[in-house]
Amino acid sequence: MMPQRVRLQHAAAVRHPTSIIGCQVRREPPNSTERYTRWINQLAPDQLLTQVFTSNGPTVIMPTWFCSRAWFSHVGPFDEGGRGVPEDLLFFHEHLRKGGGLVRVDQSLLLYRYHPGAATHSVLETTIWTHRVRFLEEWALPHWATFTIWNAGRQGRRLYRSLTAGSRCKVVAFCDVDENKIKKGFYCYENSQERPKPRVPVLHFRAAQPPFVICVKLDLTGGAFEDNLRSLNLQEGRDFLHFS
């Protein structure tokens, strides 16, 4: 960590005693995880809360965390179940449940090394997915009477199937830009125990109604998806949340 890290993060923690304080990072090797590193360093302050459901994990990443011992004890302890337990994600969710805030010091105060043998790779994607879906259902979906899943492809359908029956009932449509998916007109959940089996409309994104749970990965479409989203003049958090 950089020499000024403790001083700057401590000052922020004094101002925000119930927050996790993070910082920007420099990655080593420099070109490893470029998209992830951009996401870590460039999230706007309000996105630290609105993007807590994505596959990237905590918006203030665990190696940068700084908080008071009193707040840590209030939230914690870490789940020490061992290899395969996403203890940082579980602590992060509990922190938010207890009303904690998220603050990032916008200076690069940490050299964050990447190596393929890191313990984080021992956590199964399916484990992370289950925790993410349950937290979405607990923390966001209760505020919406209905919602649309943006992505009628694999990830959107997987989210739909992973929801509880009560949350699935709130899904009024999928939306997409793929004409083939839109022409089909609906998605049928074949493994449902309901009769008749649910048939969810598939619409062009301009014909769909917010709020949206977005299952399209950011920064992968050359800006096309981001341009489509901006064209709708929506407010992140109120009108849409990112899940992928």
Side-chain angles (χ1 to χ4, degrees):
M1 61 183 179
M2 303 301 108
Q4 67 273 36
R5 178 185 175 187
V6 171
R7 174 173 55 83
L8 294 175
Q9 289 191 287
H10 177 264
V14 169
R15 295 192 301 273
H16 305 279
T18 62
S19 290
I20 290 176
I21 312 299
C23 64
Q24 295 176 327
V25 303
R26 180 163 56 88
R27 202 64 153 140
E28 179 66 35
N31 296 325
S32 59
T33 66
E34 289 180 277
R35 286 180 55 250
Y36 180 50
T37 304
R38 279 197 299 273
W39 182 81
I40 292 169
N41 289 335
Q42 295 179 11
L43 286 173
D46 58 330
Q47 290 177 318
L48 297 177
L49 280 173
T50 60
Q51 293 202 16
V52 297
F53 308 104
T54 77
S55 60
N56 287 331
T59 48
V60 173
I61 64 167
M62 192 268 194
T64 72
W65 287 1
F66 190 106
C67 68
S68 73
R69 178 175 292 277
W71 184 253
F72 176 86
S73 298
H74 177 67
V75 175
F78 280 113
D79 185 321
E80 296 190 50
R83 196 169 179 85
V85 173
E87 74 283 347
D88 56 343
L89 183 66
L90 298 177
F91 186 95
F92 186 72
H93 287 169
E94 188 62 21
H95 166 77
L96 294 173
R97 288 186 187 102
K98 292 188 173 178
L102 300 169
V103 174
R104 187 186 65 220
V105 175
D106 283 338
Q107 293 189 40
S108 180
L109 303 178
L110 189 77
L111 180 67
Y112 184 23
R113 291 184 177 86
Y114 172 83
H115 60 93
T120 187
H121 301 305
S122 71
V123 183
L124 296 176
E125 187 275 340
T126 51
T127 299
I128 297 288
W129 176 273
T130 298
H131 286 299
R132 290 171 55 216
V133 173
R134 296 289 85 86
F135 192 63
L136 177 74
E137 292 189 302
E138 173 191 342
W139 219 55
L141 298 188
H143 301 291
W144 293 342
T146 61
F147 64 97
T148 298
I149 296 177
W150 190 317
N151 187 350
R154 183 174 61 182
Q155 283 293 91
R157 297 194 305 267
R158 182 187 181 193
L159 173 61
Y160 178 82
R161 294 192 301 268
S162 300
L163 296 171
T164 61
S167 295
R168 280 198 302 270
C169 288
K170 293 185 174 186
V171 179
V172 293
F174 291 89
C175 72
D176 213 292
V177 295
D178 187 323
E179 291 297 333
N180 291 326
K181 296 184 180 78
I182 295 166
K183 284 178 183 176
K184 184 177 179 182
F186 65 90
Y187 165 68
C188 181
Y189 181 22
E190 294 291 350
N191 293 330
S192 175
Q193 301 302 309
E194 298 176 49
R195 294 295 182 271
K197 294 178 181 180
R199 290 162 63 99
V200 184
V202 178
L203 309 173
H204 189 275
F205 77 92
R206 294 199 183 280
Q209 291 296 314
F212 299 101
V213 175
I214 296 175
C215 294
V216 179
K217 286 192 179 295
L218 296 169
D219 201 15
L220 277 180
T221 62
F225 164 72
E226 288 81 0
D227 288 344
N228 287 338
L229 182 59
R230 278 193 294 270
S231 73
L232 299 179
N233 296 313
L234 302 175
Q235 179 180 322
E236 188 168 356
R238 184 193 67 189
D239 300 320
F240 68 91
L241 292 169
H242 289 284
F243 189 75
S244 281

